[in-house]
Amino acid sequence: MTRSTRRITRQTATLVWLAAVAAAVVVCVGLDPVDTPFTALMVPLLLGALVLGPRQLPWFLGWMAAMLGVAVALQPERSARILGASLIQAVMILIVLAVAVRRGRLGVGGMAGESMFVDLRDRLLDQGRMPHLPSGWHVEAALRSAGGTPFAGDFVVSTRTADGRFEVALVDVSGKGEAAGTRALMLSGAFGGLLGALPADRFLPAANDYLLGQAWEEGFATAIHLSLDLATGVAEVRTAGHPPAVHRLAGSGRWNVMAAGGGILGLDPDMDFPVARVQLAPGDAVLLYTDGVVEQPRLDIDLGIDRLLGDAEQILRGGADGTASRLVADLGSESDDRAVVLVSRA
């Protein structure tokens, strides 16, 4: 028996069990309407809405409508008093039916549908997990979505290549929170496949071509791509309409902006993405971030970058661990998605 067949069998068994419960409630209402509330029919109705799939739920709702009619017919002397409760339950059945039709179009239903979205969220978060780097290198990433929702328009993909390079891309999809979550999920899978499979200078052009091919109404994104040679410490940074990376020089404690330029992804097929190169010496660090970290209402973005660098310098003096998480927690606006990636050399 296949997995889908077993799932259908379980759903059918659940349908039969809930139908029996509804019938038992109706019998109890008919035998003892005083001690058995008429509204007890709401219990199997809500259980069915939660656990039944899009195929079984309409049949169950039809059965519930029939049980509602039987329950009313069994109490002719109370029909006037329970008219309001009957109408409310009928409306609830119609509401659940409307939800079932919508879920049927999506091909999901009940708790299984919610589990699917939880799985999608977890996959998006898994894409942002950093690979293990050799001794002497430290990398961490932190993301926080607008309003604290599980889905965000910012995401990170990273990889280590066979030739000894570490590559990471931080992407900001158009929109915020859940509205951008589905696009971010799709792009994270595509960009994760491109990262490391192409030469560093071909990643952003390929990502741009992919976005253009989707023809989405809101199909643009900004991105920043870091390619680091773990043996030499040479880092290449390319941006696509994204806030610039910043480089910390351990010797002086200064931060230099790595302005590389490059247009927004998904708008122009003929886009160039210039490169900015730095040599990471021991104690140096590179910080990538999204605009939600440095942009706030009535605050110039340059002031936002200055505040980011001031906080980052103060935190890094106590060690690199936890820097990204503290920055996304302390900076930016709660109404915008925020993400930070920190790469440092010990």
Side-chain angles (χ1 to χ4, degrees), residues 5-73:
T5 303
R6 288 196 299 270
R7 182 167 58 249
I8 293 173
T9 302
R10 287 196 301 268
Q11 287 280 297
T12 303
T14 304
L15 170 62
V16 172
W17 180 80
L18 287 172
V21 170
V25 170
V26 171
V27 171
C28 293
V29 169
L31 294 175
D32 191 358
V34 176
D35 293 333
T36 305
F38 180 74
T39 52
L41 278 172
M42 296 288 288
V43 175
L45 174 63
L46 294 177
L47 284 175
L50 288 173
V51 302
L52 291 177
R55 292 183 180 179
Q56 292 79 15
L57 187 54
W59 292 99
F60 178 68
L61 294 178
W63 176 259
M64 289 300 301
M67 291 296 98
L68 179 61
V70 172
V72 173

Side-chain angles (χ1 to χ4, degrees), residues 8-220:
I8 293 173
T9 302
R10 287 196 301 268
Q11 287 280 297
T12 303
T14 304
L15 170 62
V16 172
W17 180 80
L18 287 172
V21 170
V25 170
V26 171
V27 171
C28 293
V29 169
L31 294 175
D32 191 358
V34 176
D35 293 333
T36 305
F38 180 74
T39 52
L41 278 172
M42 296 288 288
V43 175
L45 174 63
L46 294 177
L47 284 175
L50 288 173
V51 302
L52 291 177
R55 292 183 180 179
Q56 292 79 15
L57 187 54
W59 292 99
F60 178 68
L61 294 178
W63 176 259
M64 289 300 301
M67 291 296 98
L68 179 61
V70 172
V72 173
L74 290 175
Q75 306 175 76
E77 71 284 353
R78 304 181 66 219
S79 58
R81 285 181 290 173
I82 63 174
L83 178 61
S86 302
L87 291 176
I88 290 175
Q89 293 194 57
V91 170
M92 289 298 298
I93 291 174
L94 292 176
I95 291 174
V96 174
L97 179 60
V99 173
V101 171
R102 178 176 174 83
R103 285 177 168 177
R105 291 175 181 172
L106 295 174
V108 300
M111 301 298 289
E114 296 179 5
S115 298
M116 183 190 74
F117 286 110
V118 170
D119 181 60
L120 292 177
R121 178 203 65 191
D122 293 342
R123 287 177 184 271
L124 180 59
L125 295 176
D126 286 342
Q127 291 278 0
R129 290 182 179 169
M130 298 292 106
H132 177 72
L133 298 187
S135 177
W137 291 101
H138 173 80
V139 60
E140 60 181 57
L143 295 91
R144 182 167 296 191
S145 62
T149 60
F151 294 93
D154 296 350
F155 67 87
V156 180
V157 289
S158 61
T159 188
R160 278 187 65 181
T161 64
D163 60 353
R165 303 186 69 83
F166 167 66
E167 301 207 18
V168 59
L170 177 58
V171 184
D172 186 354
V173 179
S174 56
K176 297 185 181 75
E178 295 177 3
T182 53
R183 293 195 298 275
L185 178 67
M186 184 174 181
L187 290 182
S188 68
F191 287 9
L194 295 173
L195 193 69
L198 297 173
D201 61 344
R202 291 300 307 156
F203 170 72
L204 287 179
N208 187 49
D209 292 342
Y210 179 84
L211 258 176
L212 288 168
Q214 303 310 302
W216 289 336
E217 185 175 346
E218 283 189 90
F220 62 90

Side-chain angles (χ1 to χ4, degrees), residues 138 140 244-250 253-256 283-289 293-294 303-332 339-344:
H138 173 80
E140 60 181 57
V246 287
H247 171 216
R248 178 182 185 265
L249 292 89
R254 295 181 54 188
W255 291 83
N256 292 333
D284 284 8
V286 172
L287 192 64
L288 316 179
Y289 53 93
V293 176
V294 294
L303 295 177
I305 294 176
D306 288 342
R307 183 184 175 189
L308 166 67
L309 300 184
D311 284 14
E313 180 62 27
Q314 184 175 4
I315 295 171
L316 280 171
R317 288 174 183 171
D321 288 343
T323 299
S325 298
R326 292 179 61 181
L327 289 175
V328 297
D330 296 342
L331 300 176
V340 168
V341 176
L342 174 72
V343 181
S344 60

Side-chain angles (χ1 to χ4, degrees), residues 218-238:
E218 283 189 90
F220 62 90
T222 68
I224 184 165
H225 173 217
L226 168 69
S227 179
L228 172 65
D229 189 322
L230 296 170
T232 65
V234 174
E236 298 181 351
V237 174
R238 296 172 175 84

